[in-house]
Amino acid sequence: MTIPRPAAVVVLAAGEGTRMRSAVPKVLHTLAGRSMLGHAVTTARALEPERVVVVVRHGREAVVEHLAQIDPEALVADQDEIPGTGRAVQVALAALDAAQQVDGSIVVMAGDVPLLDAGTLQQLLLAHHEDADAVTVLTTEVADPTGYGRVLREPGTGDVAGVVEEKDADDQQREIREINTSTYVFDAAVLRSALTRLGRDNAAGEVYLTDVLAIARGDGGRVRALRTDDTLSVEGVNDRVQLAVLRAELNRRILEDWMRSGVTVVDPATTWVDVDVDLAQDVTLLPGTQLFGATTVASGATIGPDTTLTDVEVGPGASVVRSHGSLAVIAAGATVGPFSYLRPGTVLGEGGKIGAFVETKNAVIGTGSKVPHLSYIGDATIGDHTNIGAASVTANYDGTTKHRTTIGSHVRIGADTMLVAPVTVGDGAFTGAGTVVRRDVPPGALAVNATSQRTVENWVQRTRPDSAAAEAAARARGLRPPDDPAPAADPTPAPEDKDTAR
Ligand code: UD1
Ligand code: CA
């Protein structure tokens, strides 16, 4: 059966969220790389409604700005000082009707129920249309219903007679464990009519959306409930403790989906994967791996242990060990780590290597090229099959401006080479250990500029005669027996200093 499309989805996000104790509006708190509002709007859009409207009030500016980024098409409805979910839907419907009167079904959902999935809402829509309901409400049974609206069922039919809020319920009603999840499908005409008749004559003095159910029932409409067993999927977030519980649950669900589609997750408890991450078959995630943002990992690649990647593209068969990266590309068969830091603009070519204790930024490293140890490569282009010796650095910053280093293919950069940018090293060129490259090196040339070594004989003996170093030196020169502990005066006179060319 085709799933009926709603005319509109209303997302309620005007509430204050006091218990979050945060300067950030509640619905902007995130889980799995998406705000709670983002989760709600994504779910709403999956139903392909004609329009989505978000009701705002508390933290309006921040919420509206965020909404413009994630869903610029969504309408904004401003709730006024009149409190309550009923008021929120009144302003939402007014905003919708102002453009064009809504006809058909309207889904209402809360902006702080991040695990609510489109599949559940589609079931709710199906039930609503199959039975030609006036209102269909999503409910669940909980062990402790304190604080929730209780669902009153009619004896016999099991239809819904209404919802009574905790504050207004009598002792017998408080025993009911079936609760309203604040998720509904309304017939637009029924909703429009009932909203005009809501009062504030209740314990909270608020305009209750839940009163619409009894009104619709009184008008002769059919009000039904769809009960879900998946209580966590309909749980709202009121504080950061609940947010953490739902974040862990969402992560568990995301990992379960990936495992079922062929990803090995060695330790789900310490592995975190955002909703927008994409993983291929036979990817292996080792303990302590966090994949954030729009990270993608191709088949056969291994990530971890203890690796954090944000918006990184990892190619087939690549491996990233104990490293941290963002906005980087790691091509097929390349290896990274342990202990490296790939900053934005890093592109590591096929079969390439960024080894241990290496930092890279805006660096394009060609096929088969290697930066194996203790280096900084920033604002650089390196060709193919080039090797960068240990502890080499691109000195890309002159204190004012950043400059680029260009290194060709089949280059051998000696250990501890300083490449003072802007500078170019041609294809097939070499640099000696300790070279400071300030001028371009032509293809095939060797650049060396380490000065000759000056060796001052017996310098230790003269300047610190009683030191352990002096003793060690004396032993090494056979001037004292290896087991003689007492320092002795050096019998040999200090020779002239002499330079030893290397
Ligand atoms: C509401 C329901 C209750 C249900 C519970 C589920 C009513 C009267 N009660 O309780 O039956 O069991 O949700 O969590 O509807 N909001 C607004 N404007 C407001 C008030 C709330 O937009 O004036 C939004 C909130 O931002 C939130 C949602 O509505 O997204 C629910 O609000 P909340 O205060 O948590 O629910 P209650 O009214 O306590
Ligand atoms: Ca709530």
Side-chain angles (χ1 to χ4, degrees):
M1 186 180 174
T2 56
I3 313 276
R5 287 174 53 188
V9 178
V10 176
V11 177
L12 305 180
E16 199 173 349
T18 341
R19 280 177 282 166
M20 294 298 284
R21 295 181 175 277
S22 178
V24 176
K26 177 163 79 173
V27 291
L28 300 191
H29 284 256
T30 64
L31 58 166
R34 192 179 274 168
S35 66
M36 283 199 263
L37 184 62
H39 285 285
V41 168
T42 303
T43 302
R45 284 293 175 199
L47 305 176
E48 298 181 356
E50 284 158 37
R51 285 177 288 169
V52 170
V53 57
V54 179
V55 184
V56 298
R57 179 167 167 83
H58 288 281
R60 181 195 192 277
E61 210 174 309
V63 174
V64 169
E65 192 184 311
H66 177 63
L67 185 62
Q69 286 164 7
I70 61 170
D71 190 345
E73 307 274 276
L75 297 172
V76 172
D78 281 295
Q79 189 170 349
D80 53 20
E81 62 291 337
I82 301 173
T85 49
R87 184 60 182 170
V89 176
Q90 283 172 348
V91 302
L93 190 64
L96 288 165
D97 281 348
Q100 189 196 340
Q101 179 152 320
V102 186
D103 188 28
S105 53
I106 298 180
V107 172
V108 173
M109 60 191 283
D112 58 1
V113 182
L115 267 59
L116 184 62
D117 62 305
T120 303
L121 285 176
Q122 284 166 341
Q123 280 175 31
L124 194 67
L125 280 160
L126 269 180
H128 182 80
H129 285 269
E130 264 169 13
D131 301 340
D133 294 345
V135 186
T136 314
V137 56
L138 185 64
T139 69
T140 194
E141 233 175 74
V142 292
D144 178 13
T146 308
Y148 290 104
R150 312 297 207 280
V151 178
L152 308 177
R153 297 269 194 168
E154 284 179 3
T157 61
D159 282 7
V160 174
V163 167
V164 60
E165 294 305 303
E166 166 94 15
K167 284 182 184 167
D168 304 287
D170 61 32
D171 287 350
Q172 208 181 338
Q173 289 166 333
R174 287 201 174 123
E175 293 294 306
I176 297 170
R177 294 196 296 119
E178 185 182 16
I179 59 135
N180 168 29
T181 67
S182 262
T183 313
Y184 320 78
V185 182
F186 294 98
D187 175 77
V190 169
L191 181 64
R192 187 176 296 109
S193 160
L195 285 175
T196 63
R197 287 177 270 160
L198 298 181
R200 289 172 69 174
D201 184 17
N202 52 56
E206 293 184 1
V207 184
Y208 286 167
L209 179 61
T210 42
D211 286 349
V212 167
L213 278 63
I215 294 170
R217 183 80 199 87
D219 287 351
R222 189 162 193 201
V223 181
R224 307 254 289 164
L226 179 74
R227 183 160 46 194
T228 176
D229 295 331
D230 186 357
T231 294
L232 285 173
S233 79
V234 292
E235 190 166 311
V237 171
N238 294 308
D239 59 31
R240 300 193 205 219
V241 177
Q242 269 175 312
L243 179 59
V245 169
L246 293 184
R247 181 183 291 120
E249 176 61 16
L250 179 55
N251 187 60
R252 199 190 63 71
R253 291 178 186 201
I254 290 169
L255 294 179
E256 196 173 301
D257 283 350
W258 285 124
M259 287 188 272
R260 294 201 190 285
S261 63
V263 171
T264 295
V265 180
V266 172
D267 184 17
T270 61
T271 304
W272 293 83
V273 173
D274 278 357
V275 273
D276 288 331
V277 168
D278 192 38
L279 305 175
Q281 207 174 305
D282 290 318
V283 160
T284 299
L285 305 183
L286 297 175
T289 293
Q290 296 130 40
L291 303 179
F292 297 146
T295 293
T296 62
V297 185
S299 65
T302 300
I303 314 292
D306 301 325
T307 293
T308 304
L309 301 180
T310 306
D311 302 322
V312 172
E313 184 185 328
V314 182
S319 126
V320 185
V321 182
R322 264 184 229 282
S323 288
H324 193 101
S326 60
L327 287 164
V329 177
I330 298 161
T335 62
V336 173
F339 305 106
S340 279
Y341 181 28
L342 277 56
R343 293 166 54 202
T346 297
V347 178
L348 178 60
E350 209 174 312
K353 175 174 183 161
I354 291 174
F357 304 102
V358 173
E359 176 176 336
T360 59
K361 183 212 70 171
N362 267 334
V364 179
I365 300 167
T367 300
S369 286
K370 297 188 162 98
V371 188
H373 334 270
L374 298 155
S375 289
Y376 171 63
I377 304 295
D379 302 311
T381 306
I382 298 175
D384 300 337
H385 306 290
T386 282
N387 192 80
I388 308 294
S392 291
V393 167
T394 54
N396 59 332
Y397 187 51
D398 60 14
T400 318
T401 319
K402 298 278 170 73
H403 299 283
R404 229 177 152 75
T405 299
T406 306
I407 299 170
S409 295
H410 297 282
V411 170
R412 294 287 174 269
I413 297 291
D416 195 33
T417 296
M418 296 292 121
L419 297 141
V420 182
V423 75
T424 298
V425 179
D427 289 348
F430 280 55
T431 69
T435 303
V436 180
V437 180
R438 296 179 191 275
R439 283 175 287 134
D440 290 355
V441 182
L446 166 68
V448 276
N449 59 13
T451 54
S452 58
Q453 178 173 318
R454 183 171 170 234
T455 303
V456 182
E457 294 286 355
N458 285 315
W459 179 84
V460 170
Q461 206 72 48
R462 277 188 289 112
T463 58
R464 49 212 77 195
D466 295 332
S467 67
E471 254 182 84
R475 278 197 199 96
R477 299 172 67 201
L479 299 174
R480 189 176 313 147
D483 54 352
D484 173 13
D490 193 337
T492 55
E496 292 292 286
D497 290 355
K498 73 177 181 229
D499 285 353
T500 307
R502 194 158 82 95

